Amino acid sequence: GSVRLGGVEARLFRISFSGELGYEIAVPARYGEALYRDLVARAESFGGCAYGMEALNVLRVEKGFITHAEIHGRVTAFDVGLQGMMSQKKDFIGKAASQRPGLLGPEREQLVGLKPLAPEKPIGAGAHLFDAGADPIRQNDQGYVTSACWSPTLSTHLGLAFLRNGRARLGQSVRLVDH
């Protein structure tokens, strides 16, 4: 909504890239640096600090939050585990498409979190997933990695991926191949 900061018109947005309580403030460009310095000083007085997009990205991968990397024209609410948010009682945009054959069920690739067996082994975004022991060929492809990062909090690499029948495979090992 519209707000005033020190006599300057601004817009305040309740936005969260990572699921944390967060806000964005938009001011005319000429006030951006002054606002940033003021906000950092206020945060530091409470023991806080400025942080960047990489920190936000790691936090969202740790939490399994999706962004543009996980949402594209083939992904459904079922694929990302949000099918419970689709009303069974009323119409909504996308309802007809969500009920089409082939857009539900275990044959779909579903969002999962990945952690390597060896924490120091990186996970590459774009890599493909295969069952252990399966030849890494198209016919055996079980899914793909959408996002990856190093988690300093967990001391391991992490990733998000779409894996065939992923929700039923919690705790299973898969093979990651990055050609």
Side-chain angles (χ1 to χ4, degrees):
S2 294
V3 297
R4 289 187 70 77
L5 297 172
V8 175
E9 292 289 327
R11 302 274 300 161
L12 180 66
F13 304 92
R14 167 64 178 100
I15 295 176
S16 179
F17 181 77
S18 63
E20 302 297 314
L21 178 60
Y23 297 87
E24 288 186 13
I25 303 171
V27 295
R30 65 185 176 275
Y31 299 108
E33 183 180 357
L35 176 60
Y36 174 79
R37 289 180 186 276
D38 182 53
L39 291 174
V40 168
R42 290 172 188 253
E44 288 173 346
S45 74
F46 291 106
C49 64
Y51 56 89
M53 289 303 295
E54 182 63 18
L56 285 172
N57 191 54
V58 170
L59 186 57
R60 74 137 189 120
V61 171
E62 288 172 344
K63 291 179 165 193
F65 277 40
I66 58 177
T67 64
H68 65 283
E70 289 77 36
I71 304 171
H72 50 68
R74 299 182 323 241
V75 174
T76 69
F78 176 81
D79 299 339
V80 295
L82 296 176
Q83 65 275 14
M85 296 182 72
M86 298 187 305
S87 175
Q88 301 301 309
K89 298 178 182 176
K90 61 183 179 178
D91 199 16
F92 57 87
I93 295 173
K95 184 172 186 174
S98 73
Q99 298 169 344
R100 291 180 60 197
L103 293 181
L104 297 169
E107 69 281 356
R108 295 286 299 175
E109 294 169 342
Q110 300 161 358
L111 185 69
V112 297
L114 299 175
K115 182 173 76 170
L117 296 175
E120 71 281 359
K121 293 286 187 182
I123 295 173
H128 283 259
L129 305 173
F130 299 87
D131 290 331
D135 286 337
I137 58 174
R138 184 183 54 78
Q139 294 85 342
N140 296 333
D141 196 313
Q142 295 291 300
Y144 58 96
V145 178
T146 58
S147 298
C149 67
W150 167 257
S151 169
T153 303
L154 301 174
S155 298
T156 187
H157 287 273
L158 296 174
L160 295 178
F162 283 105
L163 177 64
R164 185 168 290 136
N165 200 20
R167 286 191 283 279
R169 298 173 73 171
L170 180 65
Q172 290 183 5
S173 292
V174 293
R175 180 178 174 204
L176 184 141
V177 177
D178 191 347
H179 294 291

